[in-house]
Amino acid sequence: MNRRNWIKRTGAAGAGLLLAKYIKASDLTLAFDAKDFVKADFGSDFKWGVAASSYQTEGAWNIDGKGESNWDFFSRIPGKIERGENADVAADFYHKYAEDIDLIKEMNFKVFRFSISWPRILPNGTGEINLKGLEFYHKVIDKCISVGIEPWITIYHWDMPQVLEAQGGWTNRKVLDWFSEFTNVVTKEYGSKVKNWMVINEQLSYTGLGYMQGIFAPGKKSIKAFMKSIHYSTLCNAESARIIRKNVIDANIGTTFVTTHIEPIDQQKKNIEAANRMDAIMNRLFIEPCLGLGYPEDTLPILKKLKKLYEPGDEQRMVFDFDFIGIQYYFRTVAKHSMMPGMRAKEVKASERGVPANEMEGEIYPEGLYHILKKFSQYKGIRNLIVTENGTCVPDKLENGRVHDQGRIDYFKSHLEAVLKAKKEGVNVNGYFVWSPTDNFEWNKGYRTRFGLVYIDFKTLERTMKDSGLWFKAFLG
Ligand code: GCO
């Protein structure tokens, strides 16, 4: 779509901001030429990385003084995780980190984004520090640096100490103190070696799926709990960033948001409005308060309830001028009106529409990443975007020492084309991180769905580079 059409389809929303409105069904397929591109097209400063998280990869759930996390607890509740699986061992990154970082290097990536397990550092949530836990991340960081890979740390990727979850977790305003303490400990400890920090991974996922839909830890189904978790994690996001700024000289500070490109099923007004409401929750809810725009209650009046949770000064406390915003994109969402209270919108699944999807029913729609990058680039306060996660799950099979995951290669190629197209049109996108270097524990799906560039046999823990890993090795080499 050319720039003029794009501008025609934007309108003033929120505090005079230009936000993307929805495009006509006939415009949905943005033709990407199948032309090849090379790494150099993205520029020499572009960051190429892989992303992973502590609970999904480390295992060693009760080793060397680690405390129990909300996910250790949740995964033991019968029926919560497919096939009753848990991440007690996961990819055993705790013991195999050196091998995995060597593989990341072999694939020619220069950035490794990983998270720190809060209960490994503070087994009781606050107070006593576990020195073995501190030492583990020193080893990971040092290994990265020794092979020329930049460590990028996410402070929180969903594993909260269970002792704190038991006190309400993100629904307890005290989380501001708890999370500040954790941030202080890790930034003081690692700040001299690590300059790139992301505060939180996808607030919407653990607040929405954890406190409202009950399918992630802690498994609550309450709108009240959801509201509290939204507001307190929004405050923590900015507060923790301020702590990083204070503790880490020359820090590059970001945070990450889950995004999805949303389209109405057709051009009926009720469906367009439903898509707008869905957009308010799925794309705008967390970025806008952080930019000083408040919650998007203009589009979704139910969010006015959040005001009841405000204490004096909160409006300002939610704001932080991030150096970069991490965009995590996997699929497009098509919406239609529904009577469901609150959002009054529902998703029309990929299977109902008969379009290509991954193994988790996420529609494969690379143009969506282009649209999302354009959309976020229109916020005045955003200076720099990095795609901190993008990837897909396909039915991988290890046969004769190879995994021919052509579907994943095609996914990456088309999504990289989308990034490049946005970049060429002036979007300030400066990095792309693949989710994920190795297969790992995919939350409520357990080990069924695989996202890795490297295959893991979860019985032997043996690693095999998939064709997609080999593709990146050649592309980035
Ligand atoms: C997320 C998380 C990852 C997931 C990945 C694949 O975006 O949900 O950051 O932990 O594993 O997205 O679903």
Side-chain angles (χ1 to χ4, degrees):
M1 188 182 309
N2 67 36
R3 178 95 202 145
R4 236 183 91 241
N5 284 345
W6 181 268
I7 288 168
K8 240 173 45 195
R9 292 194 184 92
T10 59
L17 238 206
L18 278 185
L19 284 174
K21 281 272 186 288
Y22 295 100
I23 55 177
K24 287 207 296 295
S26 54
D27 287 326
L28 291 187
T29 42
L30 187 83
F32 279 115
D33 298 335
K35 265 188 256 127
D36 280 337
F37 50 86
V38 292
K39 181 186 163 196
D41 295 335
F42 291 80
S44 55
D45 294 340
F46 197 83
K47 299 282 182 189
W48 293 99
V50 286
S53 83
S54 46
Y55 183 69
Q56 294 178 275
T57 62
E58 287 176 7
W61 78 285
N62 59 356
I63 286 178
D64 289 342
K66 177 180 166 293
E68 186 184 28
S69 78
N70 54 349
W71 273 92
D72 292 323
F73 182 86
F74 180 74
S75 61
R76 284 180 165 68
I77 302 173
K80 294 297 182 191
I81 314 291
E82 287 187 20
R83 303 182 295 198
E85 291 169 336
N86 60 44
D88 286 4
V89 178
D92 201 23
F93 178 79
Y94 191 73
H95 297 109
K96 292 184 171 282
Y97 69 91
E99 182 180 343
D100 288 350
I101 294 167
D102 281 337
L103 284 164
I104 295 169
K105 180 177 170 60
E106 201 183 319
M107 292 185 284
N108 288 316
F109 290 100
K110 292 281 185 280
V111 169
F112 178 30
R113 169 183 174 230
F114 59 92
S115 74
I116 295 186
S117 159
W118 186 346
R120 200 179 288 291
I121 302 291
L122 295 162
N124 306 313
T126 57
E128 193 200 335
I129 295 174
N130 176 28
L131 296 181
K132 288 254 174 159
L134 287 184
E135 189 189 313
F136 170 64
Y137 296 105
H138 272 300
K139 289 193 289 191
V140 172
I141 292 165
D142 293 347
K143 172 71 190 175
C144 285
I145 294 171
S146 75
V147 297
I149 289 177
E150 275 181 12
W152 287 45
I153 292 183
T154 312
I155 294 182
Y156 185 77
H157 199 131
W158 311 353
D159 43 357
M160 171 176 271
Q162 176 58 22
V163 283
L164 301 182
E165 191 70 79
Q167 296 170 59
W170 290 100
T171 68
N172 186 337
R173 196 175 166 107
K174 282 197 192 138
V175 70
L176 264 164
D177 297 331
W178 304 334
F179 195 58
S180 297
E181 180 175 338
F182 175 46
T183 305
N184 253 308
V185 171
V186 295
T187 50
K188 283 187 179 155
E189 185 69 26
Y190 306 119
S192 60
K193 296 178 183 173
V194 177
K195 297 299 168 193
N196 298 286
W197 293 82
M198 286 141 291
V199 179
I200 297 184
N201 185 72
E202 300 187 356
Q203 292 170 74
L204 181 65
S205 303
Y206 62 86
T207 58
L209 302 178
Y211 292 96
M212 170 82 181
Q213 289 189 28
I215 60 171
F216 277 12
K220 292 207 173 116
K221 288 187 185 169
S222 146
I223 182 116
K224 259 197 182 153
F226 180 43
M227 289 288 170
K228 287 183 179 172
S229 68
I230 292 171
H231 188 54
Y232 301 148
S233 71
T234 297
L235 287 168
C236 281
N237 192 40
E239 199 70 16
S240 171
R242 279 185 283 275
I243 295 171
I244 307 175
R245 186 68 83 217
K246 189 173 82 208
N247 290 347
V248 183
I249 301 165
D250 294 335
N252 181 33
I253 306 172
T255 198
T256 74
F257 298 111
V258 60
T259 64
T260 175
H261 176 58
I262 301 178
E263 309 264 5
I265 182 78
D266 58 30
Q267 290 305 302
Q268 283 188 67
K269 189 164 174 266
K270 65 174 187 183
N271 292 329
I272 293 176
E273 285 173 0
N276 274 322
R277 286 192 297 275
M278 200 179 255
D279 181 54
I281 287 279
M282 297 182 75
N283 293 315
R284 299 172 52 197
L285 181 58
F286 293 100
I287 180 66
E288 294 193 4
C290 141
L291 295 172
L293 302 169
Y295 295 110
E297 52 187 42
D298 53 331
T299 312
L300 200 56
I302 195 176
L303 297 175
K304 289 194 180 126
K305 284 185 195 258
L306 287 164
K307 286 259 161 59
K308 290 198 193 131
L309 302 170
Y310 278 37
E311 284 188 6
D314 276 10
E315 214 124 4
Q316 267 320 302
R317 271 183 108 179
M318 299 192 284
V319 180
F320 185 78
D321 182 16
F322 281 97
D323 298 316
F324 71 94
I325 292 298
I327 296 291
Q328 322 217 129
Y329 174 87
Y330 289 87
F331 50 78
R332 165 171 78 156
T333 305
V334 169
K336 76 171 183 196
H337 179 267
S338 100
M339 296 312 283
M340 195 175 72
M343 197 156 71
R344 287 178 297 121
K346 75 177 232 199
E347 181 191 346
V348 188
K349 295 228 158 92
S351 53
E352 294 170 57
R353 290 179 286 122
V355 292
N358 70 16
E359 286 199 296
M360 283 163 67
E361 278 239 53
E363 182 189 356
I364 298 173
Y365 193 76
E367 298 90 328
L369 177 53
Y370 163 82
H371 291 306
I372 281 292
L373 290 170
K374 296 285 276 196
K375 178 183 173 84
F376 274 72
S377 73
Q378 289 173 27
Y379 282 114
K380 267 202 213 106
I382 296 184
R383 291 193 263 136
N384 180 6
L385 295 171
I386 295 201
V387 179
T388 40
E389 281 182 27
N390 179 233
T392 194
C393 45
V394 299
D396 291 323
K397 277 203 183 64
L398 177 65
E399 280 163 341
N400 307 318
R402 290 289 296 272
V403 178
H404 298 302
D405 56 340
Q406 188 58 41
R408 189 176 282 107
I409 296 175
D410 294 343
Y411 182 95
F412 286 128
K413 275 193 187 166
S414 57
H415 285 73
L416 283 171
E417 278 185 295
V419 175
L420 191 55
K421 180 173 167 61
K423 195 168 172 63
K424 280 187 177 155
E425 290 177 21
V427 171
N428 203 15
V429 51
N430 298 305
Y432 177 90
F433 303 170
V434 170
W435 182 271
S436 190
T438 65
D439 292 336
N440 57 50
F441 179 83
E442 181 55 32
W443 309 112
N444 59 334
K445 306 279 180 243
Y447 299 100
R448 178 172 64 79
T449 53
R450 294 170 177 270
F451 279 84
L453 297 174
V454 172
Y455 183 91
I456 294 191
D457 176 333
F458 287 105
K459 288 201 184 81
T460 62
L461 295 172
E462 204 179 314
R463 273 88 167 129
T464 305
M465 199 177 290
K466 301 179 192 175
D467 285 1
S468 56
L470 297 168
W471 185 83
F472 268 106
K473 182 178 174 170
F475 172 66
L476 299 175

